[in-house]
Structure formats: C-alpha cells, structure tokens
C-alpha cells in the first residue's frame, strides 16, 4: 500500500511539474500577444539571394519604433522537440514592453537560415543587409541597436566597421572571440594566445558546428511552411555526450574532432592556420586596422576567456577612433564573473571556489537607458549617471568607477623574481621583491608534454568538463616540481592591483621551442592561493607573430608575455604570487617542444627549461598599483 502511495505521489509531482511548465508557456505567450505583433520565420534576403530566418516581435502601435537586433548561431526556435519554449518570448516581452521591436536572426547556414555557415556569420555583408532590410520596414524608425553575449556579440564589431547609417548603438558582451588583433594581442578570435592554441574552440565546435550533409528545408519554402515545420523539426543536432577532458588529450591536435566523430570542416581549416595567416584577416574578425564608428557599451568579466583583449579593444576605440563623438561615447562594465555570467551574480557571488561578495548590478536598467538615448533620442541622464568604466574589485568586493582603464591613479610597480635556485613548488624559496637580484641563481624545471601541468580553474569558457572556470585554491597544484613559485612577503598593508599586468622572463632551454606560462595569485594568510589571471607565450613567436625564431641550446632569451588583467585588493597579511611553468593544459594546447607544426605531431620531447633572474637577466612582473 505504501509503495502504491509513493508511486502515486511521484506521478502527481511529475504531472504537476508538466502542468506548471505548460501554464508558464501559455502565460508568457498570452502576455506577449497582448502587446506585440509576432512575425516568425521571416526569411530576409541577402544580396546574393540567400535568406536568413528571422523572428520579429514589435509593439502594437501605428508609429515607427526602434529595433534591438540579435544575430546568433544558436537555436532560438520557440518549438524544440515538440515542446514550446519561453526564453525567446520572455526576452521579446521585455523589449516590446519598453517600446522596442525585438528582432532575432540566425546566421547564414544555421537552423532555418539558408546557405553555408562559417564562424562569425560571414560574409560581413549579411549584417549590413539585415540592417538595410530592417531600416526600410514601415514599422521601423531607422534606428537599430545590437545586443548579445558571446557568439551573439562577437560579430558586432566587424559589422560596425562597415558603418551602416542605421546602426546607432551596440552592447557587445563577452565579445572576445570577435577580436582578431588589437595592440599586443594576436588571439585571432580566441584561437591563440601568445601563439599557443586555446582549446576552447576545439570543444565548442564539436557542440555547435552543423554537418554539411545535415537535413535542410528546400529552398523557397514559404513562411507558412516554415512556421508549421518548426513545430516538429527544430533542425538542432543532438550530439552524443563526450568526455571532453579525455577528448582534448588526443594527439595530433588536428585529429581531435575526428577522434570523437565530430563535424570538422571548419575545424580542419582553422587548426592549420598560424597566428598571422592571411585567412584570419578575411572573415568576420575585427582588427585594429579597422575603424569602428558606433557608440558602444562594452561588458567584460574578470574570469572570461579573453578579458585582456576585450579591455584593450575598449581602449583602442577610446584612443584611436577618428570621430571624437564616437571616442567619447564608449562605456565599459567589468564584472567578477565567468563568461556571460553578469546577471547570475548574487548577494554572495562565488566564482569557482572564491566568494567575491555581492556583485549584482542594475544591468537591465543601464541597457535600456543606453538604447533609449541612442535609439529613441531620449534626453535621459545616462551620461551624467554612468561612469565611463564600472569595475568590480575582488578582495574588497566593491564596485568602483573610473574615467579610464586602467584607473587614473594606477602606477606600475616592478617586482623581480629571485631565489637561490630552488623555486620549484610552493615549498621552495622563490620570492617576489622590489629589489632586483644581484646574481643569477637560476631556477630550472623539466617540462614533459606527456605529463603537462593540469589546468585548475582559470579564465576560460566552453570546454565542457575539461576545465572549470573561476578561482580555485592552487595549493594542490603547487606541489609539482615543474611549477616555479615566487611570492612576496605578507603585505603590511592592503594593496589594490587594477589594470594590465606585464611580465618579462628570461629563459634558456635545450629544445628549439617551448612555452612559458604564468599565473597571478592572491595568497591568503591560511595558505589558500586563488588564481586571478593567466597567460602563455610560445617562445618561437617572442619576436612577433609574422615569423618563427627558434632557440639555441644554452642561449638566454627575453620573453615578454601578453599582459594579464585584474582588479583585486590584496588585503594586509595576504601575499602576491606568480606561478611559472611551461604548460597549462587543456586550457592551452601542449607545446611538443620539437619546433615542428605541433598540430600534426603525436610525439613530444622533454624540455629542460631555466628561468634566469639577475642584474643582467631581470625577470620581472609589473603590477598596476592603485594608491
């Protein structure tokens, strides 16, 4: 009897859950239908005749309205697996309620959009043509703002460089994979850092890329046909789950997706490109040789995969755009979250293992104030109320404001690496000091690419179960002999570090090529050691990404790593630490140390690497200290 009652109870809970979900779907649809004209699966033509699937939600009004436009490679179909979903409708309701038309479109070759897909929705003219179509609609006021995070943001910059007259404002969020080259950064859309492959796209493409032999809707299908078909077929592939931690360990790199039966047409061409390959400059990436002419409200986050290039792009536009009005209308928010995690901040925001306090912010209010200013022409007080830069300082756990990045009061302070030659592990004698060492008691370690340092936390996204992003206690990692650890004495007073962190290391090795990695860490009095940022440099590219210069055994080389970024308050009693090694895997691909292509190699060789620190070889890190 008890067993039957238990079965009935769980059946009731199950049916109640289904009923609640259906009711929620019905409620949001009814609310939306009251205020909006809903026009789904509108096929907008591009200049070559290809049509892109677009859903339009606009206010029930006779007057023209501004448009908030999101273009995405992801599935926004309101029917999935025979069930109606609410996410797109909920977003649309917010926009329409505020007086905007909300237009969401799939990139070329994605889901119901025609054509063949490539990363960032090339050709660039698709974005321009979509703007033109929207501008010419009788319900449009001719003002378009673009909004989105990650892949829904990353196309915006290069299309903005086309300078469509209706593209009035944009809010790119977590936009690093849209940046090709800017200043010191040659990441080519997060594919590289310092010339080493970032493996996030190896994982991301497995889940996202559609096969060229996928089922397709016949060309010329009517809107009525598409709406009907979309209730039964959402055209979303269902990839078998993969242990990505194991998958990314496969060699050679070029066969990683083949090994897990992934769709690999785009991957196959990208994995062979070197950092300065001309093809990086022919797609949808934004490069700092391009002119960006759109007022922009940038969103970045400390534990995103490309925080430094994101901040460098903000500065580039602020300092180099020809139009003064555009330079003056650039704003920035930096949150202490993971990729696109802004609104997931809580009263006790935990990023990885570290609590960074109450990191909430009135994002929605600021977003609509920005669009009201530029798309509606409202004379609101956005500029008076909104700091140029809003940034969150971890450690003190406070939102702060500045007119620039780094903050005006930040001054660079140099800390030198030193030891008696035994900086290996956190039990070694490596120190960071403001005084340069007098002699070279160099530190050496063995880097075996078949036993790399495992990524533990970090500034990362999109790697499945391979790497969990955020701040984690690094003590367990620092027991490895192939990690050099340099730490200041406990601080007598608190120190705020906010800005770009520069590092210069002097290295020698017995191999032609290797990598150098570095992490910046906040060490607590009880020994906990939380990572703040990390970077890497493939040594063959130390003189630039247009050439490969290999090492000779025993020769000492200067290596400048790409700058890291953070805002962290090191409290009194805490210490500042860096870790130096030659791998951070699978956050970054392993250098097999051969001097070969790396992507097509299966066997590596062991490197004996040495970090020098002396008056002549003053290995150092420069921190932006805010007084």
């Amino acid at each position: 009897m008890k067993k039957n009652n238990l079965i009935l109870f769980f059946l009731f809970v199950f049916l109640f859950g289904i009923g609640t979900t259906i009711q929620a779907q019905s409620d949001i649809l009814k609310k939306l239908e009251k205020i909006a004209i809903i026009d789904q699966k509108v096929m907008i033509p591009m200049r070559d005749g290809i049509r892109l699937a677009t859903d339009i939600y606009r206010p029930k009004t006779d007057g023209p309205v501004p448009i908030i436009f999101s273009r995405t490679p992801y599935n926004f179909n309101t029917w999935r697996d025979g069930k109606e979903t609410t996410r797109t409708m909920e977003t649309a309701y917010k926009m329409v309620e505020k007086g905007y038309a909300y237009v969401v479109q799939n990139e070329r070759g994605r889901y119901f959009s025609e054509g063949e897909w490539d990363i960032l929705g090339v050709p660039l003219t698709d974005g321009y043509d979509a703007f033109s179509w929207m501008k010419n609609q009788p319900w449009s006021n001719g003002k378009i703002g673009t909004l989105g995070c990650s892949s829904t943001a990353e196309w915006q910059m290069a299309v903005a460089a086309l300078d469509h007259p209706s593209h009035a404002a944009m809010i790119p969020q977590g936009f690093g994979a849209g940046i090709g080259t800017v200043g010191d950064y040659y990441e080519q859309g997060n594919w590289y850092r310092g010339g080493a492959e970032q493996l996030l796209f190896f994982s991301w493409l497995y889940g996202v890329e559609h096969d060229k032999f996928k089922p397709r809707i016949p060309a010329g299908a009517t809107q009525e046909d598409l709406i009907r078909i979309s209730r039964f077929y959402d055209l979303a592939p269902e990839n078998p789950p993969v242990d990505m931690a194991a998958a990314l360990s496969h060699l050679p790199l070029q066969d990683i997706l083949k090994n897990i039966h992934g769709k690999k047409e785009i991957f196959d061409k990208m994995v062979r490109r070197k950092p300065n390959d001309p093809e990086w400059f022919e797609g949808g990436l934004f490069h700092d040789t391009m002119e960006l002419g759109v007022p922009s409200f940038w969103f970045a986050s400390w534990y995103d995969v490309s925080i430094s290039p994101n901040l460098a792009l903000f500065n580039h536009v602020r300092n180099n755009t020809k139009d003064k009005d555009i330079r003056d209308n650039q704003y920035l928010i930096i949150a202490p979250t993971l990729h696109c995690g802004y609104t997931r901040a809580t009263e006790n925001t935990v990023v990885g293992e570290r609590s960074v306090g109450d990191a909430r912010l009135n994002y929605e209010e600021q977003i609509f104030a920005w669009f009201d200013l530029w798309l509606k022409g409202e004379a609101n007080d956005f500029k008076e109320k909104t700091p140029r830069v809003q940034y969150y300082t971890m450690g003190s756990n406070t939102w702060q404001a500045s007119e620039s990045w780094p903050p005006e009061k930040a001054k660079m302070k140099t800390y030198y690496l030193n030891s008696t030659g035994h900086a290996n592990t956190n039990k070694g004698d490596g120190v960071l000091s403001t005084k340069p060492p007098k002699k070279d008691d160099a530190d050496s370690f063995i880097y075996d690419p078949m036993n790399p340092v495992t990524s533990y936390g970090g500034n990362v996204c999109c790697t499945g179960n391979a790497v969990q992003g955020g701040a984690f206690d690094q003590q367990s990692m620092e027991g490895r002999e192939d990690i050099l650890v340099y730490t200041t004495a406990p601080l007598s007073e608190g120190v705020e570090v906010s800005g770009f962190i520069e590092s210069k290391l002097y290295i020698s090795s017995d191999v032609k090529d290797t990598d150098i990695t570095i992490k910046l860490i906040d060490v607590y009095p009880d020994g906990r050691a939380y990572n703040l940022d990390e970077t890497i440099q493939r040594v063959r590219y130390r003189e630039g990404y247009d050439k490969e210069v290999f090492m000779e055994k025993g020769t000492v080389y200067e290596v400048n790593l790409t700058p890291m970024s953070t805002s962290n308050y090191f409290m009194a009693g805490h210490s500042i630490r860096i870790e130096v090694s030659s791998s951070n895997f699978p956050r970054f691909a392993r250098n097999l140390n051969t001097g070969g292509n790396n992507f097509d190699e299966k066997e590596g060789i062991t490197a004996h690497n040495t970090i020098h620190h002396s008056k002549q070889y003053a290995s150092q890190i420069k921190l932006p200290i805010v007084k």
Side-chain angles (χ1 to χ4, degrees):
M1 186 68 174
K2 287 183 178 179
K3 183 178 180 180
N4 290 339
N5 288 341
L6 191 61
I7 292 171
L8 289 172
F9 171 75
F10 282 116
L11 181 61
F12 170 78
V13 170
F14 175 71
L15 294 174
F16 179 78
I18 292 176
T20 302
T21 301
I22 293 172
Q23 184 63 46
Q25 292 166 345
S26 175
D27 289 348
I28 187 61
L29 181 57
K30 288 178 181 177
K31 286 174 64 178
L32 186 58
E33 287 175 335
K34 284 183 179 179
I35 64 171
I37 297 170
I38 301 173
D39 203 8
Q40 295 179 328
K41 297 296 176 283
V42 178
M43 301 301 286
I44 295 180
M46 302 293 103
R47 62 188 63 186
D48 62 356
I50 293 295
R51 303 181 305 161
L52 305 188
T54 310
D55 286 0
I56 302 169
Y57 306 85
R58 56 189 176 89
K60 290 182 175 179
T61 178
D62 294 331
V65 296
I67 299 167
I68 296 176
F69 178 49
S70 290
R71 193 166 71 115
T72 181
Y74 298 125
N75 186 6
F76 61 81
N77 196 37
T78 52
W79 287 89
R80 300 187 193 182
D81 297 325
K83 299 175 183 177
E84 194 169 27
T85 63
T86 63
R87 185 173 180 179
T88 300
M89 290 187 284
E90 288 165 355
T91 302
Y93 183 83
K94 287 182 181 179
M95 305 296 184
V96 173
E97 188 180 37
K98 296 287 187 180
Y100 293 94
Y102 177 58
V103 180
V104 57
Q105 181 180 81
N106 264 140
E107 293 173 352
R108 175 181 292 240
R110 300 295 291 177
Y111 303 99
F112 289 84
S113 287
E114 298 170 349
E116 300 299 328
W117 181 69
D118 203 344
I119 286 179
L120 297 174
V122 292
L124 285 178
T125 52
D126 281 0
Y128 195 96
D129 292 349
F131 291 154
S132 294
W133 186 92
M134 288 184 283
K135 174 184 74 73
N136 292 328
Q137 299 310 299
W139 44 264
S140 168
N141 77 348
K143 298 289 186 181
I144 301 167
T146 51
L147 172 68
C149 195
S150 193
S151 293
T152 310
E154 291 149 0
W155 63 275
Q156 294 183 42
M157 292 84 74
V159 173
L162 300 180
D163 200 23
H164 193 287
S166 287
H167 193 191
M170 65 181 187
I171 304 181
Q173 304 169 327
F175 49 91
I179 303 172
T181 55
V182 59
D184 294 327
Y185 303 95
Y186 249 73
E187 296 209 354
Q188 305 297 18
N190 293 160
W191 194 268
Y192 284 104
R193 175 164 300 166
E197 299 91 346
Q198 303 193 68
L199 296 186
L200 71 100
F201 266 115
F202 292 53
S203 170
W204 185 82
L205 280 169
Y206 173 77
V208 172
E209 186 174 352
H210 289 187
D211 199 282
K212 63 183 178 181
F213 298 114
K214 68 179 182 181
R216 295 174 184 264
I217 304 299
T222 66
Q223 182 182 12
E224 181 182 1
D225 288 335
L226 293 172
I227 290 173
R228 177 176 52 81
I229 292 169
S230 69
R231 295 169 65 92
F232 309 102
Y233 307 104
D234 63 9
L235 302 185
E238 296 182 1
N239 295 343
V242 165
D243 179 353
M244 200 54 67
L248 295 179
S249 296
H250 182 80
L251 290 173
L253 284 174
Q254 66 181 14
D255 290 343
I256 283 178
L257 290 195
K258 178 182 178 182
N259 188 54
I260 54 176
H261 310 291
K263 302 167 284 291
K264 54 188 176 62
E265 287 80 16
I266 292 173
F267 173 84
D268 280 357
K269 66 181 182 180
M270 293 181 73
V271 75
R272 291 170 172 79
R273 291 183 193 169
K274 294 185 177 181
N276 204 40
D277 191 296
E279 289 193 29
W280 292 118
F281 300 87
E282 297 171 0
L285 292 172
F286 179 88
H287 300 278
D288 60 11
T289 54
M290 303 160 75
E291 184 74 11
L292 195 152
V294 178
S296 306
F297 192 9
W298 309 88
F299 283 37
S301 49
W302 290 130
Y303 285 95
D304 201 351
V305 65
S306 53
I307 178 60
S308 290
N310 291 1
L311 301 182
L313 180 55
F314 168 77
N315 283 344
H316 172 76
V317 178
R318 282 276 292 149
N319 297 328
N320 298 291
T321 296
K322 295 175 183 177
D323 188 327
K324 183 178 184 301
D325 286 340
I326 299 301
R327 292 199 304 270
D328 291 345
N329 285 293
Q330 305 295 318
Y331 291 81
L332 171 67
I333 290 176
I334 318 171
T337 61
L338 299 173
H339 181 66
C340 293
Y342 314 100
T343 59
R344 291 192 285 275
T346 66
E347 187 175 0
N348 178 34
T349 304
V350 178
V351 185
E353 292 177 339
R354 186 190 188 194
S355 171
V356 295
D358 188 347
R360 294 173 294 182
L361 194 66
N362 59 335
Y363 294 108
E364 190 171 301
E365 178 184 342
Q366 294 193 49
I367 287 170
F368 281 115
W370 176 256
F371 281 143
D372 288 346
L373 174 65
W374 293 105
L375 306 187
K376 294 181 179 179
E378 288 187 4
N380 61 22
D381 58 359
F382 177 89
K383 293 185 181 182
E384 289 72 30
K385 287 177 58 177
T386 309
R388 177 75 62 191
V389 178
Q390 301 168 74
Y391 68 98
Y392 195 85
T393 300
M394 300 173 288
S396 60
N397 298 345
T398 54
W399 281 103
Q400 300 201 78
S402 175
E403 182 57 26
S404 65
W405 190 259
E408 302 90 329
K409 294 182 180 180
K411 303 298 181 186
M412 299 302 284
K413 186 173 183 178
T414 302
Y415 289 81
Y416 297 94
L417 282 63
N418 201 356
S419 75
T420 62
H422 305 286
N424 311 72
T425 82
N426 56 5
K427 304 298 183 184
D429 62 3
V431 298
L432 287 177
S433 170
T434 55
K435 295 180 180 180
K438 295 180 179 179
K439 62 177 183 175
D440 190 5
D441 291 320
D443 293 302
S444 298
F445 63 94
I446 297 172
Y447 162 47
D448 178 1
M450 300 301 121
N451 181 28
V453 173
T454 305
S455 304
Y456 188 50
N459 310 63
V460 68
C461 86
C462 319
T463 54
N465 68 330
V467 187
Q468 185 177 353
F472 289 85
D473 184 359
Q474 301 295 305
Q475 289 183 93
S476 61
M477 301 301 303
E478 292 171 347
R480 293 182 59 124
E481 289 286 334
D482 53 359
I483 296 178
L484 305 180
V485 179
Y486 302 91
T487 311
T488 66
L491 301 171
S492 59
E493 59 182 25
V495 172
E496 180 185 334
V497 174
S498 292
F500 294 105
I501 295 100
E502 302 171 4
S503 46
K504 178 194 299 182
L505 301 178
Y506 289 88
I507 176 178
S508 61
S509 182
D510 62 351
V511 295
K512 293 174 62 177
D513 186 46
T514 194
D515 290 346
I516 293 296
T517 65
I518 194 167
K519 283 184 185 180
L520 178 66
I521 292 170
D522 184 347
V523 184
Y524 284 52
D526 63 4
R528 284 176 294 159
Y530 290 121
N531 51 295
L532 299 171
D533 200 3
E534 61 204 354
T535 193
I536 190 170
Q537 183 63 44
R538 187 145 292 175
V539 178
R540 70 174 73 179
Y541 293 117
R542 67 191 177 279
E543 296 183 16
Y545 298 100
D546 57 345
K547 56 185 175 182
E548 299 176 44
V549 182
F550 295 102
M551 295 185 292
E552 295 182 6
K553 184 177 180 179
T555 302
V556 179
Y557 298 95
E558 177 183 312
V559 179
N560 291 280
L561 288 82
T562 56
M564 298 179 285
S565 296
T566 196
S567 179
N568 188 76
Y569 186 78
F570 294 82
M571 293 184 179
H574 288 222
S575 298
I576 301 169
R577 172 177 291 172
I578 63 168
E579 294 175 5
V580 176
S581 191
S582 285
S583 54
N584 181 352
F585 175 81
R587 169 74 176 84
F588 304 102
R590 294 165 285 182
N591 193 329
L592 299 180
N593 298 329
T594 65
N597 288 328
N598 212 65
F599 66 79
D600 58 0
E601 298 177 279
K602 295 178 67 174
E603 302 293 334
I605 59 176
T606 297
H608 297 79
N609 294 336
T610 299
I611 301 297
H612 299 264
H613 38 75
S614 64
K615 186 175 181 179
Q616 181 181 5
Y617 302 123
S619 291
Q620 61 193 253
I621 184 168
K622 291 184 177 180
L623 302 179
I625 307 295
V626 178
K627 295 294 185 181

